[in-house]
Amino acid sequence: MPKISVIMPVYNEPEIYLRAAINSILKQTFADFEFIIIDDCSGPEIASIIHSYTDNRIRYYRNNENLKIIKTLNRGLELAQGEYVARMDADDISIFKRFEHQVKFLDNNPEIGLVGTFGYSFPGRVNLCPPTAPSDIEVFLNYCANCIIHPSVMFRKSIIDENNLKYSENFLHVEDYKLWLDFCKVSKLSNIQEPLVLHRLHKNSISSKNDIEQYFNSQIMIFGNMLQVLGMNDLGLLKIYASTFSKKNITIEEYLRINDIFTRTIYKICNNFDCGSSNKDYICRSIREKSKSLKMKVLY
C-alpha cells in the first residue's frame, strides 16, 4: 500500500499546464505515492499526454462520460489506497518538498486529520497565508470563509472511510469548503506555514468562471452556520437570505438589506464565540471586505 494517494482530475487542460502539474508531482522528494489521474472525458490529446509518461506510479482512469468535478473527485476517493490522500489540480504546481513536509507533519501530529499549506497565486505571486491553528481554522471556516487551499491538502484516508465523508453534490463550486466543514466535526485541521503550492489564476479555471456563484453558495452555507450557533431554529431568516443572495442580479435595496442581516449576525457571533487568536476585529474586517467585493461584482 502506498503512503499517499494523489488525486488529480483532468478536463481538457492546456498541455503546458498539465505537464507542469504532472512533473511537479513526479519530482516530489517523498516518492512513496500512487498518482491517480482521472480524465473526465477530455479530448484524445489529454490521454496522449498522460500516456507519454512511463512512471509506474501513475494510475490513469478515464470517465466514460463527463461527470464533472464533484463526481470525479469522489471517484478518486474510492480508488485511493494510500494512508494519506493528497489533492492536486491539473493547472497548479506543487513545490517539490510538499509531500515530504506534509507526511512528516501528519506522522508527528496524529490528532490532525487534514493539513493544508500556505501558497502563492500566480501570475502576480500573491501570498496565500491562511490561519494555521486548528481552533482558528474552525472558526474561520464556519463563520468567515474557506481558509484551506484545495490543491494543497493532504488528509487521512481512514477519516474519510470511517465517517463516510465525500464531496457533496449539493454544494456546487464550494464542494471542497463543505468537505472541510464536515472534517471539522470529526477531526482537527491545520495549515503548514510554508508556501508549498502555486495556484494558477487564469480565465478558464472553474473558480474564475463561477466566482460569483461560488461566493453566493459559500455565504449561504456560512449564514446557516451562524444561525445554528446562535440557537435560531427557525430557518425563515436563512431562506430569506438564500433566496435573495442566489439571484444573479440584486438591487441596491436588496443588497443593503442582506448585508445588514449578515453584518449584525457576524457581530453576534464574534461576541458569543471564542475566536482564539483569530481576533474578532480580524473576522469582522474580513466580512466587510467580502461584502465590498460582492457589491462591486453584482451591482456595478
Side-chain angles (χ1 to χ4, degrees), residues 10-14 18 39 42-51 60:
V10 177
Y11 181 67
N12 289 330
E13 252 69 43
L18 180 55
D39 179 356
S42 304
E45 64 278 2
I46 294 297
S48 298
I49 294 169
I50 297 169
H51 287 313
Y60 172 68

Side-chain angles (χ1 to χ4, degrees), residues 65-119:
E65 58 180 315
N66 182 232
L67 299 180
K68 306 297 184 182
I69 185 67
I70 297 176
K71 288 183 178 179
T72 300
L73 286 172
N74 285 330
R75 186 185 182 193
L77 292 179
E78 293 173 358
L79 291 168
Q81 299 177 12
E83 177 183 356
Y84 300 145
V85 174
R87 272 285 289 114
M88 182 61 186
D89 283 341
D91 53 358
D92 291 335
I93 295 172
S94 287
I95 302 303
F96 297 153
K97 289 189 176 183
R98 174 192 161 190
F99 291 173
E100 178 183 340
H101 290 195
Q102 288 183 294
V103 167
K104 181 179 179 180
F105 183 91
L106 289 174
D107 283 349
N108 292 336
N109 296 276
E111 76 283 4
I112 302 295
L114 179 152
V115 63
T117 76
F118 285 11

Side-chain angles (χ1 to χ4, degrees), residues 23-262:
N23 291 338
S24 76
I25 296 299
L26 296 181
K27 294 180 180 179
Q28 288 290 310
T29 56
F30 186 93
D32 183 12
F33 61 81
E34 60 174 354
F35 191 4
I36 300 171
I37 302 177
I38 306 179
D39 179 356
D40 194 19
C41 205
S42 304
E45 64 278 2
I46 294 297
S48 298
I49 294 169
I50 297 169
H51 287 313
S52 71
Y53 291 88
T54 58
D55 195 303
N56 59 13
R57 294 172 296 182
I58 292 178
R59 295 172 58 196
Y60 172 68
Y61 299 88
R62 178 179 167 82
N63 294 337
N64 293 326
E65 58 180 315
N66 182 232
L67 299 180
K68 306 297 184 182
I69 185 67
I70 297 176
K71 288 183 178 179
T72 300
L73 286 172
N74 285 330
R75 186 185 182 193
L77 292 179
E78 293 173 358
L79 291 168
Q81 299 177 12
E83 177 183 356
Y84 300 145
V85 174
R87 272 285 289 114
M88 182 61 186
D89 283 341
D91 53 358
D92 291 335
I93 295 172
S94 287
I95 302 303
F96 297 153
K97 289 189 176 183
R98 174 192 161 190
F99 291 173
E100 178 183 340
H101 290 195
Q102 288 183 294
V103 167
K104 181 179 179 180
F105 183 91
L106 289 174
D107 283 349
N108 292 336
N109 296 276
E111 76 283 4
I112 302 295
L114 179 152
V115 63
T117 76
F118 285 11
Y120 294 113
S121 61
F122 73 103
R125 199 174 176 84
V126 176
N127 292 353
L128 304 174
C129 303
T132 58
S135 60
D136 293 346
I137 289 173
E138 182 177 359
V139 172
F140 208 90
L141 284 173
N142 276 283
Y143 310 119
C144 190
N146 189 356
C147 58
I148 303 290
I149 303 171
H150 196 183
S152 80
V153 299
M154 182 179 289
F155 50 81
R156 301 181 192 274
K157 179 63 158 50
S158 60
I159 293 180
I160 290 286
D161 293 340
E162 292 167 6
N163 297 280
N164 194 30
L165 299 182
K166 61 180 181 179
Y167 293 93
S168 174
E169 295 181 49
N170 296 323
F171 292 87
L172 185 62
H173 307 311
V174 290
E175 66 279 351
D176 58 326
Y177 194 172
K178 179 59 168 63
L179 184 59
W180 313 153
L181 288 169
D182 290 341
F183 248 94
C184 279
K185 298 175 182 177
V186 296
S187 181
K188 294 181 179 180
L189 285 63
S190 187
N191 278 311
I192 295 175
Q193 298 183 27
E194 186 174 357
L196 297 175
V197 291
L198 304 180
H199 179 52
R200 190 187 303 271
L201 301 177
H202 59 95
K203 64 180 181 180
N204 292 321
S205 68
I206 293 176
S207 58
S208 294
K209 288 181 177 179
N210 303 284
D211 58 344
I212 293 180
E213 186 174 1
Q214 185 180 59
Y215 185 87
F216 287 164
N217 291 343
S218 66
Q219 293 305 92
I220 291 169
M221 187 162 52
I222 291 168
F223 194 67
N225 294 337
M226 292 177 182
L227 295 182
Q228 287 183 17
V229 81
L230 290 174
M232 299 176 67
N233 296 321
D234 182 1
L235 295 182
L237 193 58
L238 176 59
K239 290 178 180 178
I240 293 172
Y241 188 83
S243 62
T244 305
F245 226 31
S246 60
K247 293 171 63 176
K248 293 300 182 184
N249 294 289
I250 62 177
T251 66
I252 292 178
E253 290 76 15
E254 287 173 325
Y255 167 80
L256 292 174
R257 179 189 183 195
I258 219 65
N259 187 58
D260 179 63
I261 293 173
F262 194 75

